[in-house]
Amino acid sequence: MGKTLTEKILSQKIQEEVEIGRIYIFPVDWVFAQDGTGPLAIKVFEELGISLLSSPSRTLFFLDHASPPPRSELANSHHLIRKFGEKFGAKIYEEGEGICHQLMVENHASPGEIIVGADSHTCTSGALTAFATGMGSTDIAVAMALGKVWMKVPPSIKIILKNSLNNRVMAKDLILHIIGALGANGATYRVLEFAGEGLKALNMDDRFTIANMCVEAGAKTGLFPADEVTKEFLEKMGRGEKYIYLFPDENAVYEREIIMDLSEIEPMVALPHSVDNVRKVKEVKGLKVDQVFIGTCTGGRLSDFKIACEILKGKKVKSRLIIGPASRRVFLEGMKEGVWEILVEAGGVIIPPGCGPCVGIHQGVLADGEVCVSSANRNFRGRMGNPQGLIYLASPATCAATALTGYLTDPREV
Amino acid sequence: MAWRGKVHKFGDNISTDLIIPGRYFHLRGNLSELAKHVMEDADPDFVKKMRKGDFIVAGENFGCGSSREHAPWVIKIAGVRAVLAKSFARIFFRNAINIGLPLIECDTENFKEGDEIEVDIERGEVRNITRDFKVAFTQLPPFLREILNAGGLKEYIRRKKDFEG
């Protein structure tokens, strides 16, 4: 019988034909935590009674969620993580280096690997054909100690993409559309596997955005096959030798198949307070917006800022605009291309690479009743630090068009 | 073994942001302090109303969102005996098993706030004493029951030193 990408990666890892629905112990290639989940993982690790990391060079910590720290408790968390790194040899990504998921795809994730991270958006690396999934601190502590995790083999839903996206329609619109169609738990315990000739038209930034949000439909991860686009990206990142051709078998068995015509996708928005509460932007007219945020592991890459520049160049914003590059690399590349100058002249505020206001700790907490349109991945009540704030999720193009007018705006109209 | 307690009823898609908001990030190093805010954005009075041994009963997709293990921890530390829901988000599900918080996936439609219920883990049955009906549920797979019975994955590994051992 043919195998899905999930079955291929997982079977190869344990040299055994995996069976959907069964629990196996899998070896992991990379294990990581961030500054929110890391301290608890460290505490559990220290209580396990195992004195060494299974693979120090493949154990990573990212100081991205509260970075630089806004208060002493969080500074102490950073200190604890640094000390742990020194003692056990784990790699620490310092403040300002960027968001864990962006750094994973820039520096580590490769096709065929298993990656576990103590952060739900670990699935971002699925865009590079790695079986990457989020777990909690205890799983991560055990994976750090033993290099293994327990996992149930999930069935896959195949999403067949046709044609290509229209001008100013972005990968974010596609994944919002998919989440709206599936529902917030429509893919729980399943993997979303992307296929079809439409893949050719999606660059790696697009694929990262899509894979990143698969968890918002409940999925364990979102997988793209490893094709020429993957190869080119890995070469650019200096690890071209990690490329392997990795596609599902033609006769693989999927739980469901869904066909999506990319040319029919329009700018989408997720209304408060759930990610599957999706509408077309043009159907939500007249929404006055206080703050726009372009950034995060979903929408803070160079192509996201370039489209914002295209919309905002030489103009002034009418709502507050916060700009958060996903990593130092994105920040430096944008600097060379002059994107920050355009966005700052338009009225934007640039924050350091990291999670920024997405997690509600600092750098853009909303006031009571305020409306934010964000390129992030979650609009749950309280997400941006205030349960009285209202978060709308949209593409970076829609965010930029909205900042320009001060009202939720379809980017094709500006 | 049966557990008896009161129902605290919640809806669908209760996210980990509702269970324990990100604005309390700085308290994550102190779980008992953090637990004073459990469910705060879903029901600000929850901590005042609940008694040790009570149950959280919810709809679909309980625990969706972030991977923060602090979410099942604060529920457990607050004294909630088990969470019953129509379905659970997968990271929350494994986190709860891994820290030894029992989860029961069953039809929760007819449970109301304040109902007195009895959960029999061995028999796979929830009895609603207030409304006089029973709901059956499927047991967890043996491996996960073993983790839960050990008190969580940490205790399981402490004892066995490895998964297979």
Side-chain angles (χ1 to χ4, degrees), chain B residues 45-59:
Chain B
D45 295 326
F46 176 74
V47 171
K48 271 182 260 164
K49 286 192 300 197
M50 68 108 18
R51 296 281 168 272
K52 206 169 159 48
D54 281 355
F55 299 93
I56 286 176
V57 179

Side-chain angles (χ1 to χ4, degrees), chain A residues 29-41:
Chain A
D29 292 282
W30 300 101
V31 52
F32 73 87
Q34 28 90 341
D35 48 347
T37 55
L40 184 53

Side-chain angles (χ1 to χ4, degrees), chain A residues 42-88:
Chain A
I42 288 171
K43 181 172 177 280
V44 174
F45 175 85
E46 286 173 341
E47 289 168 1
L48 275 176
I50 293 168
S51 53
L52 291 172
L53 293 172
S54 168
S55 179
S57 64
R58 291 180 170 271
T59 303
L60 317 166
F61 286 87
F62 300 89
L63 307 182
D64 56 1
H65 276 58
S67 179
R71 51 190 302 163
S72 61
E73 295 92 333
L74 299 168
N76 287 335
S77 292
H78 285 196
H79 181 74
L80 175 84
I81 290 170
R82 288 188 191 105
K83 288 284 162 205
F84 183 83
E86 279 170 27
K87 187 172 169 192
F88 291 96

Side-chain angles (χ1 to χ4, degrees), chain A residues 218 235 281 286:
Chain A
E235 281 166 359
V281 170

Side-chain angles (χ1 to χ4, degrees), chain A residues 6-20:
Chain A
T6 300
E7 291 167 308
K8 274 200 170 174
I9 297 170
L10 297 182
S11 296
Q12 200 275 331
K13 277 287 166 198
I14 55 170
Q15 295 295 306
E16 181 185 335
E17 302 274 306
V18 298
E19 199 180 300
I20 286 169

Side-chain angles (χ1 to χ4, degrees), chain A residues 23 25 36 40 44 47-50 65 71 73-74 118-120 133-139 142 146 148 150-151 184-185 188-189 220 359-361 378 380-381 383 385 387, chain B residues 13 15 17-18 22-23 25-26 28 31 41 60-61 64-70 73 87-91 94-95 98-99 141 143-144 147 153-154 157-158 161-164:
Chain A
I23 295 171
I25 307 302
L40 184 53
V44 174
E47 289 168 1
L48 275 176
I50 293 168
H65 276 58
R71 51 190 302 163
E73 295 92 333
L74 299 168
D119 190 287
S120 58
T133 190
M135 294 186 174
S137 297
T138 297
D139 272 318
V142 169
L146 302 176
K148 298 178 213 174
W150 67 266
M151 282 202 289
N185 62 348
T188 298
Y189 240 102
K220 191 160 190 158
V359 237
I361 306 166
R378 287 202 176 120
F380 300 154
R381 190 188 294 277
R383 177 79 183 175
Chain B
N13 299 317
S15 72
D17 280 286
L18 290 177
R23 65 178 175 279
F25 214 84
H26 59 286
R28 285 188 183 186
L31 286 172
D41 285 353
E60 301 280 3
N61 205 24
C64 60
S66 131
S67 72
R68 63 192 73 155
E69 194 173 281
H70 312 76
W73 266 121
S87 65
F88 293 94
R90 63 157 276 281
I91 304 179
R94 59 185 300 138
N95 283 348
N98 283 342
I99 67 145
F143 174 64
L144 301 190
I147 293 175
L153 184 62
K154 183 177 75 186
I157 297 291
R158 272 172 68 95
K161 297 291 170 211
D162 203 339
F163 274 111
E164 289 92 352

Side-chain angles (χ1 to χ4, degrees), chain A residues 233-287:
Chain A
F233 177 84
L234 290 170
E235 281 166 359
K236 192 179 158 205
M237 295 297 135
R239 57 182 196 285
E241 79 287 354
K242 297 276 188 185
Y243 175 77
I244 50 167
Y245 176 88
L246 192 50
F247 271 71
D249 291 327
E250 296 249 338
N251 58 345
V253 180
Y254 297 89
E255 191 184 76
R256 259 172 98 181
E257 297 194 0
I258 299 167
I259 297 172
M260 289 272 160
D261 186 339
L262 299 180
S263 68
E264 286 177 3
I265 304 293
E266 295 194 53
M268 305 298 282
V269 59
L271 277 45
H273 296 284
S274 73
V275 186
D276 61 352
N277 190 11
V278 171
R279 305 276 189 286
K280 288 176 183 166
V281 170
K282 67 183 186 193
E283 292 170 355
V284 190
K285 286 239 164 82
L287 175 76

